[in-house]
């Protein structure tokens, strides 16, 4: 067998371990007394329109048309609908022939990195980062280089980035709104990033591509804007997913958009098609492709997450915990009151509070609290947070 794959398959993820612990505790003390903040599974229902469109589609199409194969890169009418929406919403050029339908952001990322990297190349990202990036980069034959972010703001530390980019850098991979920090890169950050990548690409004589991982694009609060990257840096691939914006993580639907103005855009798109083929990600789920075409611009009710964020941030800061204000996604990245975040998570378990240590996101000394849970659970959990804070005399 392949030893790398055996290693990946046999090691249980920390998040899964915590989730299993939570299930066991729920049997012992009752589900309402366990405060599981470990998983990024949307708690808000999908918009009604999703169900209505699915019913319409089932009623109006023949089963063979509905459930049959689409073309490998996805149904053309679906890619047209996405392209029109992107063009209209973000005022950027888009083209259905540069869109590749996939199974969520995970497939988009492994395909994009495989399309862009040669063996031994480097993918630079910023800690804290989504745990699977290392697996995806290594599957593409590349090495993941994770640079620490500015600890005050979790924005990019540009002097570190400038030093880290070298002749092996194929990709810079960003994720905004961010899992796990909740931070959004503002326009100033995006402009600086684009300028640096242009400068470095010219100096090194190789195009450094920007891959932007965007499952949380619509999950932002207080009117915060998420700049659309192709408008700032032409050599960009957008990895989009409907998992969070439409609360459909189990349906596995998303897409890759290669900016038609990117260097060697046509060839890169063909490499995306090739990588999709090589990884077996052809013809994304047909029914959900067709549903997506009719649900462009629709989002789950994210105001629930905003309320959860406000309640938690206010209460936790009041108890003495410290965290950067998250502008998006549904995570809070809280500084552990003791240096070892694993020990902090263990202590929190005494109160049936379940978090994920930041070590898994390349950022020890912090914990991630996923607040995509019911507002009632947040309210019920507050006394437990207060007791936990008291243990540390915060
Ligand atoms: N990227 C980030 C930052 C995520 O948080 C997730 C899922 O939580 C993914 C990618 C994978 O998303 P999907 O379920 O659409 O594959």
């Amino acid at each position: 067998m392949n030893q790398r794959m055996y290693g990946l398959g046999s090691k249980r993820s920390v998040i899964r371990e915590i989730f299993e612990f939570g299930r066991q505790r729920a049997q012992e003390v009752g589900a309402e007394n366990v405060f599981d903040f470990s998983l990024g599974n949307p708690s808000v229902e999908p918009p009604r329109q999703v169900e209505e469109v699915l019913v319409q589609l089932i009623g109006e199409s023949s089963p063979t048309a509905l459930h049959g194969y689409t073309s490998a890169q996805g149904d053309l009418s679906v890619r047209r609908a996405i392209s029109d929406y992107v063009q209209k919403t973000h005022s950027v050029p888009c083209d259905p022939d540069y869109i590749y339908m996939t199974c969520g952001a995970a497939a988009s990322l492994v395909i994009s990195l495989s399309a862009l990297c040669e063996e031994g190349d480097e993918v630079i990202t910023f800690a804290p980062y989504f745990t699977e990036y290392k697996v995806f980069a290594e599957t593409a034959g590349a090495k993941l280089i994770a640079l620490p972010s500015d600890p005050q703001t979790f924005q990019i530390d540009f002097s570190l980035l400038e030093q880290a980019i070298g002749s092996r850098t194929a990709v810079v991979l960003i994720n905004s709104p961010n899992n796990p920090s909740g931070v959004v890169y503002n326009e100033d950050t995006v402009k600086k990033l684009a300028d640096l990548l242009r400068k470095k690409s010219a100096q090194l004589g190789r195009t450094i591509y920007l891959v932007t991982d965007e499952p949380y694009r619509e999950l932002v609060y207080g009117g915060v804007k998420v700049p659309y990257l192709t408008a700032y840096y032409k050599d960009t691939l957008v990895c989009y997913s409907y998992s969070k914006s439409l609360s459909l993580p189990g349906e596995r639907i998303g897409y890759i958009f290669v900016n038609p103005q990117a260097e060697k855009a046509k060839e890169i798109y063909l490499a995306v098609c090739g990588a999709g083929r090589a990884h077996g990600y052809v013809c994304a789920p047909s029914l959900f492709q067709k549903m997506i075409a009719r649900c462009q611009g629709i989002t789950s009710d994210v105001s629930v997450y905003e309320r959860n964020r406000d309640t938690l941030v206010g209460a936790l800061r009041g108890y003495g915990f410290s965290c950067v204000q998250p502008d998006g996604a549904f995570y809070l990245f809280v500084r552990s009151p003791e240096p070892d975040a694993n020990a902090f998570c263990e202590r929190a378990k005494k109160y049936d509070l379940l978090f994920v240590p930041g070590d898994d996101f390349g950022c020890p000394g912090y914990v991630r609290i996923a607040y995509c849970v019911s507002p009632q659970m947040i309210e019920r959990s507050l006394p437990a947070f207060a007791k936990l804070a008291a243990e540390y005399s915060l």
Side-chain angles (χ1 to χ4, degrees):
M1 77 192 94
N2 179 294
Q3 288 301 316
R4 178 173 171 255
M5 295 305 162
Y6 172 74
L8 287 174
S10 52
K11 194 171 144 247
R12 263 228 310 221
S13 90
V14 174
I15 299 180
R16 280 271 138 221
E17 294 277 359
I18 298 168
F19 179 68
E20 293 303 335
F21 174 84
R23 280 182 24 162
Q24 197 190 317
R25 281 297 288 160
Q27 281 177 0
E28 292 162 16
V29 298
E32 70 286 0
N33 299 314
V34 180
F35 312 117
D36 185 350
F37 293 100
S38 64
L39 276 190
N41 209 10
S43 55
V44 171
E45 283 182 5
R48 277 196 69 78
Q49 187 155 347
V50 167
E51 199 178 295
E52 285 164 10
V53 167
L54 287 172
V55 171
Q56 267 169 22
L57 282 165
I58 289 167
E60 74 192 33
S61 315
S62 79
T64 43
L66 196 58
H67 303 298
Y69 287 120
T70 63
S71 60
Q73 65 269 48
D75 187 274
L76 179 58
S77 66
V78 175
R79 290 183 283 123
R80 266 201 201 111
I82 294 171
S83 173
D84 289 348
Y85 175 76
V86 168
Q87 204 153 330
K88 198 172 81 203
T89 311
H90 304 296
S91 307
V92 292
C94 194
D95 185 327
D97 290 338
Y98 289 83
I99 289 176
Y100 188 93
M101 301 304 298
T102 60
C103 293
S108 303
L109 288 164
V110 79
I111 291 173
S112 298
L113 297 182
S114 301
L116 292 167
C117 295
E118 292 276 20
E119 197 67 38
D121 275 342
E122 290 176 356
V123 173
I124 297 180
T125 197
F126 306 95
Y129 60 91
F130 180 54
T131 43
E132 296 301 276
Y133 286 175
K134 189 163 183 290
V135 177
F136 299 154
E138 289 174 1
T139 301
K143 184 172 172 206
L144 185 78
I145 311 278
L147 303 176
S149 301
D150 177 329
Q152 304 305 322
T153 59
F154 286 121
Q155 296 277 337
I156 295 173
D157 182 331
F158 283 100
S159 61
L160 284 184
L161 177 59
E162 178 143 23
Q163 286 163 32
I165 294 176
S167 58
R168 302 293 342 213
T169 309
V171 171
V172 169
L173 168 58
I174 60 169
N175 167 226
S176 163
N178 184 269
N179 172 10
S181 72
V183 159
V184 175
Y185 292 161
N186 60 25
E187 191 177 34
D188 189 42
T189 300
V190 166
K191 280 184 174 162
K192 273 197 203 139
L193 177 62
D195 287 344
L196 181 59
L197 294 186
R198 271 190 290 272
K199 181 176 105 179
K200 284 291 185 182
S201 295
Q203 271 174 9
L204 295 165
R206 90 174 271 185
T207 304
I208 300 165
Y209 287 90
L210 181 64
V211 173
T212 168
D213 177 21
E214 305 202 342
Y216 302 98
R217 165 164 284 281
E218 289 79 14
L219 278 66
V220 282
Y221 316 118
V224 165
K225 295 267 176 297
V226 185
Y228 201 75
L229 271 300
T230 62
Y232 298 85
Y233 189 65
K234 71 179 175 58
D235 300 311
T236 294
L237 275 66
V238 179
C239 292
Y240 186 80
S241 163
Y242 297 92
S243 295
K244 317 284 171 163
S245 63
L246 288 178
S247 307
L248 295 171
E251 304 300 353
R252 316 307 302 136
I253 192 79
Y255 63 84
I256 301 163
F257 165 45
V258 178
N259 184 12
Q261 296 178 324
E263 189 70 23
K264 294 203 165 81
K266 191 80 226 169
E267 289 85 347
I268 297 290
Y269 182 74
L270 291 174
V272 163
C273 295
R277 181 177 166 195
H279 287 294
Y281 283 123
V282 289
C283 176
S286 167
L287 174 60
F288 279 84
Q289 281 192 51
K290 288 167 186 146
M291 182 276 290
I292 285 306
R294 296 189 193 178
C295 289
Q296 289 299 300
I298 293 174
T299 305
S300 299
D301 177 12
V302 302
S303 66
V304 178
Y305 302 136
E306 182 165 13
R307 252 189 292 140
N308 284 354
R309 177 199 68 162
D310 293 345
T311 310
L312 258 190
V313 171
L316 265 60
R317 284 185 176 160
Y319 302 143
F321 291 107
S322 129
C323 65
V324 170
Q325 167 83 3
D327 283 327
F330 38 47
Y331 307 104
L332 202 58
F333 208 48
V334 177
R335 219 183 150 72
S336 167
E338 59 182 304
D340 180 358
N342 290 281
F344 175 51
C345 287
E346 280 306 311
R347 210 183 274 220
K349 277 185 183 170
K350 265 196 345 206
Y351 304 100
D352 289 306
L353 286 168
L354 308 183
F355 328 129
V356 182
D359 305 57
D360 256 35
F361 304 98
C363 200
Y366 291 81
V367 296
R368 186 189 79 170
I369 298 180
Y371 57 81
C372 44
V373 297
S374 72
Q376 293 77 7
M377 179 181 136
I378 303 244
E379 292 293 342
R380 280 200 312 273
S381 71
L382 295 183
F385 276 106
K387 284 185 207 150
L388 182 61
E391 279 215 21
Y392 290 94
S393 312
L394 293 177

